[in-house]
């Protein structure tokens, strides 16, 4: 259902947007706007906070470089880290179950980073992943037992 909704938003690159002929009889096609690129950053952040990371990764693969760039900026924000923290249970973070949950979240995070930086060079991708992960690690591991925080950071 969400995939169908996203496909209706016409997420094409603005420079190569689809041309839609008008039904007024004119043979001149008009360019349809990309509505998702027109919304303000705060609203896009709010929308992305409701989507799972897998759908956000698919959103990066739609062909819109502007949208992908906006998602790459969003990955560095505190609201993204808050979305990650929601999926982690604070009560079991100092136990084995919490560590297994962290590994699962890191897999989803890595896949999102891979999809978001797919068109960048290898060195750029590694630099981005390192900075994104270190920011995420700092926010998640603060307030944890030092031994577990050290293990999670590996």
């Amino acid at each position: 259902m969400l995939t169908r909704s996203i496909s209706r938003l016409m997420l094409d690159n603005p420079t190569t947007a689809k041309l839609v002929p008008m039904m007024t009889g004119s043979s001149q096609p008009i360019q349809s706007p990309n509505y998702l690129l027109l919304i303000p950053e705060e609203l896009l952040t709010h929308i992305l906070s409701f989507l799972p990371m897998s759908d956000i990764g698919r959103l990066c693969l739609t062909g819109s470089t502007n949208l992908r760039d906006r998602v790459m900026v969003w990955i560095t924000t505190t609201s993204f880290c808050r979305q990650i923290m929601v999926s982690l249970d604070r009560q079991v973070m100092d136990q084995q179950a919490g560590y297994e949950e962290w590994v699962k979240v890191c897999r989803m995070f890595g896949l999102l980073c891979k999809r978001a930086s797919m068109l960048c060079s290898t060195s750029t991708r590694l630099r981005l992943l390192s900075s994104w992960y270190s920011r995420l690690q700092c926010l998640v591991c603060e307030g944890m037992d030092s031994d577990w925080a050290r293990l999670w950071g590996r």
Side-chain angles (χ1 to χ4, degrees):
M1 182 168 114
L2 180 61
T3 309
R4 280 183 263 139
S5 299
I6 289 175
S7 68
R8 283 190 221 128
L9 290 175
M10 298 172 24
L11 301 174
D12 295 319
N13 193 334
T15 58
T16 60
K18 296 177 185 174
L19 297 177
V20 181
M22 290 293 290
M23 300 304 280
T24 60
S26 171
S27 62
Q28 292 291 333
I30 61 167
Q31 189 174 13
S32 61
N34 188 339
Y35 297 109
L36 198 54
L37 292 176
L38 298 176
I39 61 175
E41 201 69 35
E42 296 82 15
L43 187 57
L44 180 65
T45 300
H46 189 68
I47 291 171
L48 292 177
S49 69
F50 290 105
L51 295 175
M53 278 195 282
S54 59
D55 287 342
I56 297 169
R58 286 188 201 106
L59 193 62
C60 291
L61 299 176
T62 60
S64 174
T65 55
N66 292 336
L67 184 60
R68 186 179 61 246
D69 291 343
R70 289 176 78 178
V71 170
M72 288 173 70
V73 168
W74 176 72
I75 290 175
T76 62
T77 63
T78 308
S79 68
F80 172 74
C81 293
R82 248 186 273 125
Q83 182 177 352
I84 297 283
M85 293 296 295
V86 167
S87 63
L88 296 172
D89 186 8
R90 278 283 197 201
Q91 296 172 351
V92 295
M93 284 179 65
D94 291 337
Q95 301 169 6
Q96 179 70 24
Y99 180 72
E100 291 170 1
E101 189 65 30
W102 172 248
V103 170
K104 192 184 312 181
V105 166
C106 284
R107 266 194 204 114
M108 293 185 301
F109 175 73
L111 188 57
L112 171 63
C113 293
K114 177 182 176 183
R115 289 177 174 171
S117 64
M118 189 156 288
L119 296 180
C120 300
S121 66
T122 303
S123 60
T124 304
R125 291 177 82 180
L126 289 173
R127 183 178 44 79
L128 287 170
L129 177 64
S130 176
S131 67
W132 291 338
Y133 181 76
S134 62
R135 173 146 171 80
L136 179 68
Q137 176 192 355
C138 288
L139 291 173
V140 170
C141 293
E142 68 184 19
M144 288 179 62
D145 182 25
S146 62
D147 292 335
W148 276 102
R150 196 171 49 248
L151 177 65
W152 281 36
R154 292 187 179 176

